[in-house]
Amino acid sequence: LALDEVSSNLDEFEKETKGAAQALEDKLAAAIGHIEEAQVNTSTQLDVLDDRLDEEIDRAKRVEGELQSANEAARAKQEEEAASVRAEMTKTTGHVQETLETLKKDVQSKLEDAKEEAQSTQKEAIDRIESLQKQLLEDLEATKGALREEVKTAQNEIKN
């Protein structure tokens, strides 16, 4: 009878262990899913920022082309008009360059922020996984110790 009880306890322990392991696997899968989602979100943000930078570069190139056309037209005009047009173009070119530099800095900053966010999210997930693993191991050790005590008690009862 005591051996049946020990066997039953061992079966129950095995079921609990399998259940705890499955729960840990589920939590790990969820954490990995969160990490993958954060990576996808970060990748999407990076793609959007990259596309925006490409659009701004194309826009700047178009503006630069337009400025060159205006410069050629200005050369055909009188010297006074040419000087005025060149001064305006210089100011506009400076503005375009300032805008482009500002956009480059903005994109770089957003890329860095997105990378930092992804790293932070990944670290949090890893810390949580490690905490869950530690908790599960502690629970398993406590259960194993209790079962050993039950087995010793059962063995002592059998001996007596």
Side-chain angles (χ1 to χ4, degrees):
L1 179 65
L3 287 176
D4 288 342
E5 185 177 324
V6 168
S7 177
S8 173
N9 286 342
L10 286 174
D11 289 345
E12 184 177 324
F13 173 71
E14 183 179 357
K15 288 177 186 175
E16 288 175 5
T17 302
K18 286 181 180 177
Q22 183 61 47
L24 180 58
E25 285 180 20
D26 293 346
K27 289 177 183 178
L28 287 172
I32 289 169
H34 290 302
I35 290 170
E36 289 171 347
E37 182 179 326
Q39 289 173 335
V40 167
N41 289 340
T42 300
S43 178
T44 301
Q45 290 172 354
L46 292 174
D47 290 343
V48 167
L49 291 174
D50 188 46
D51 290 345
R52 182 175 171 206
L53 180 60
D54 289 343
E55 289 171 6
E56 290 302 322
I57 289 171
D58 290 344
R59 184 177 144 288
K61 287 178 181 178
R62 284 192 309 273
V63 169
E64 187 176 52
E66 291 169 6
L67 289 174
Q68 288 175 352
S69 296
N71 188 29
E72 291 170 3
R75 277 186 234 152
K77 293 183 179 184
Q78 296 176 6
E79 189 62 31
E80 185 178 307
E81 290 175 354
S84 174
V85 169
R86 281 198 283 294
E88 185 63 29
M89 288 183 348
T90 301
K91 186 168 64 170
T92 303
T93 301
H95 176 70
V96 168
Q97 288 175 341
E98 288 174 12
T99 302
L100 185 58
E101 286 301 318
T102 300
L103 287 171
K104 284 180 181 177
K105 288 178 184 176
D106 184 42
V107 167
Q108 185 62 34
S109 174
K110 288 181 180 181
L111 286 172
E112 290 171 4
D113 290 347
K115 286 178 185 176
E116 288 174 8
E117 183 180 336
Q119 289 171 345
S120 175
T121 301
Q122 186 177 15
K123 184 183 181 322
E124 289 174 13
I126 290 170
D127 290 347
R128 179 66 179 143
I129 289 167
E130 289 173 351
S131 173
L132 290 170
Q133 286 175 331
K134 181 179 177 186
Q135 182 182 356
L136 179 60
L137 288 174
E138 290 171 357
D139 291 348
L140 289 174
E141 286 298 322
T143 303
K144 190 167 70 174
L147 284 174
R148 283 186 179 144
E149 287 300 317
E150 287 182 29
V151 168
K152 285 180 184 177
T153 302
Q155 287 174 342
N156 287 338
E157 288 177 4
I158 289 171
K159 287 179 183 176
N160 293 333

